[in-house]
Amino acid sequence: MKLVPRYTDIGEGFAISDHPAKVAAPQLLLWNEPLAEQFNIQVNADSRASVFSGNEPQAVSAVALGYSGHQFGHFSPRLGDGRAHLLGAISDDKNQLWDVQLKGAGATPFSRGGDGRCALGPAIREYVMSEAMYALGIPTTRCLAVVGSGETVYRNPPQPGAIVTRLASSHIRVGSFQYLATQGDVTSLKNLADLAIQRHYPEINSTGAQRYLDFLAAVISRQVNLVISWMRVGFIHGVMNTDNTLISGETIDYGPCAMMNQFDFDTVFSSIDKQGRYAFGNQPNMASWNCARLAESLIALISDDDEQAVAMMTPLIEGFSTQFNQQFSAMWAQKLGLTVADDKDNELVGELLGLLKQHQLDYTNTFNALTESLNGQAQIPSALVSWAQQWQTRTNEHSYNIMRQANPSVIPRNHIIEDIITQYTTHGDSELLSRFSQVMASPYSSHVQVTEFQTPPEDDKNYRTFCGT
């Protein structure tokens, strides 16, 4: 595995050299062979546990990255990688660099008294969820491996420990810019922005202030696309803090995430989201809010006059809602197979969503049933029969294929993820994951006989997810 240094030339204190702490008895639990092949990661099978636990030193010095974060609206100027070590970067088959990071590899200078370790459950969740999201076509970080540490992580209750190997096109966050802006380090701020543009937005060729305005606009567009993708499949991130918002527009941090079963915009599963700040239907507002925090961090790159910089960026931030609303309407049209816009589309969608909530219908299964009803392979839920009469007049010979591409027939349901975690915690393996992975490899196919993965629990309103720290 050929690694190159990453982020060490941004500025002092941004990437701090730090070695992973060795673990007692590393054991490889999960290995993503297709991802390894994509990146030509050639590590001997007998060495994988040692390499991806952090026990085996690499030629490139590992680093912990600094970043700030608004956590549930409260600003923390110094967060950083408190339990993660960036080993370096590797090239994919298109010669693009991707970060290789170990999560749970021990304390760092940013740990703030924590042990820097990760429990097995959150590690399994990240692997399964991120790979399911990838299969669903959602922009996401990836997981290469999960290694058991052979040690106990002292949480409540004590749990077996694990290390996750995460690949990301970069780990540049909104919080990364906040970190440098808070320090008043304009040179490093510019270095980071230029790196982000080079890696994620090479089409930007403007100069001066316009370069960073174009960068902000591009990030906003990616965030709109990401949240639309989440809402299309019923994903709830659960902790959309600015330190969990990647500039690339990819999903990161699968701690308190969950999938919505019964439709309700107010759905919240995260145990720490007491006010519903990151509820399913509030995710667009929070993405816009996070983009505004990025804009604040870029002020020094736009103008020496703060008021002038704000005036130049404000139309971009205000344009978030316009972009989102346009794409949101287009998303519903795709989910319903509507190929020609109509003034009554919002009314049609609004009535459907009202019925979904009123009758507590499953989000994924309902849209899957509507899709397959066009082929005569499924019945429309009885509560929607009257509504469907109007909807069917709007469909045509193209509607089925459009809907099939937008509406998954299977998703990583919460109880399935919990069962997989339980099997790994109990037995160190999961036969359920093997079967689920086969089905999840093609989540948009019709899948006639996989009711095990399509049947939601009768009531998951009391289901709770927790931060993996």
Side-chain angles (χ1 to χ4, degrees), residues 28 59 292 314 411 428:
L28 186 67
T314 296
I411 57 171

Side-chain angles (χ1 to χ4, degrees), residues 28-98:
L28 186 67
L29 300 178
L30 284 167
W31 177 254
N32 192 334
E33 184 59 34
L35 190 60
E37 291 178 357
Q38 178 184 341
F39 288 90
N40 194 29
I41 297 175
Q42 298 180 357
V43 177
N44 185 284
D46 294 335
S47 301
R48 289 170 185 169
S50 179
V51 170
F52 296 107
S53 65
N55 276 16
E56 189 170 313
Q58 301 297 312
V60 173
S61 179
V63 298
L65 300 180
Y67 49 82
S68 302
H70 273 92
Q71 299 185 306
F72 291 87
H74 302 287
F75 185 64
S76 297
R78 182 181 168 89
L79 293 174
D81 288 332
R83 58 176 181 137
H85 291 77
L86 187 74
L87 299 184
I90 55 175
S91 296
D92 64 10
D93 48 13
K94 298 179 182 178
N95 293 320
Q96 292 281 3
L97 288 177
W98 282 64

Side-chain angles (χ1 to χ4, degrees), residues 82-260:
R83 58 176 181 137
H85 291 77
L86 187 74
L87 299 184
I90 55 175
S91 296
D92 64 10
D93 48 13
K94 298 179 182 178
N95 293 320
Q96 292 281 3
L97 288 177
W98 282 64
D99 293 353
V100 181
Q101 185 189 67
L102 301 183
K103 289 183 61 181
T108 78
F110 296 105
S111 292
R112 306 183 302 282
D115 61 11
R117 292 303 187 186
C118 176
L120 177 60
I124 297 298
R125 176 184 295 275
E126 173 138 359
Y127 185 100
V128 178
M129 283 298 302
S130 63
E131 291 310 296
M133 291 284 277
Y134 176 77
L136 287 165
I138 313 298
T140 181
T141 55
R142 304 289 303 278
C143 274
L144 175 66
V146 174
V147 176
S149 67
E151 300 175 351
T152 298
V153 173
Y154 291 95
R155 302 294 186 263
N156 186 17
Q159 302 170 50
I163 300 96
V164 179
T165 303
R166 178 167 67 196
L167 270 63
S169 59
S170 83
H171 280 85
I172 304 174
R173 314 158 188 258
V174 169
S176 306
F177 288 91
Q178 291 180 298
Y179 183 71
L180 297 174
T182 299
Q183 297 174 8
D185 189 347
V186 179
T187 299
S188 297
L189 194 66
K190 183 178 183 299
N191 290 341
L192 184 62
D194 287 340
L195 176 63
I197 291 170
Q198 176 188 352
R199 175 62 185 93
H200 300 296
Y201 306 102
E203 68 278 7
I204 295 177
N205 54 20
S206 49
T207 60
Q210 190 60 47
R211 176 174 177 81
Y212 305 109
L213 290 170
D214 291 344
F215 169 59
L216 176 60
V219 172
I220 289 171
S221 180
R222 289 273 182 96
Q223 294 300 319
V224 169
N225 292 338
L226 180 62
V227 175
I228 289 290
S229 297
W230 288 352
M231 299 189 76
R232 178 173 57 80
V233 300
F235 176 77
I236 305 167
H237 186 279
V239 60
M240 289 177 64
N241 298 329
T242 55
D243 54 295
N244 293 328
T245 303
L246 289 181
I247 294 300
S248 63
E250 295 169 331
T251 313
I252 190 172
D253 194 337
Y254 287 92
C257 72
M259 302 298 296
M260 181 174 65

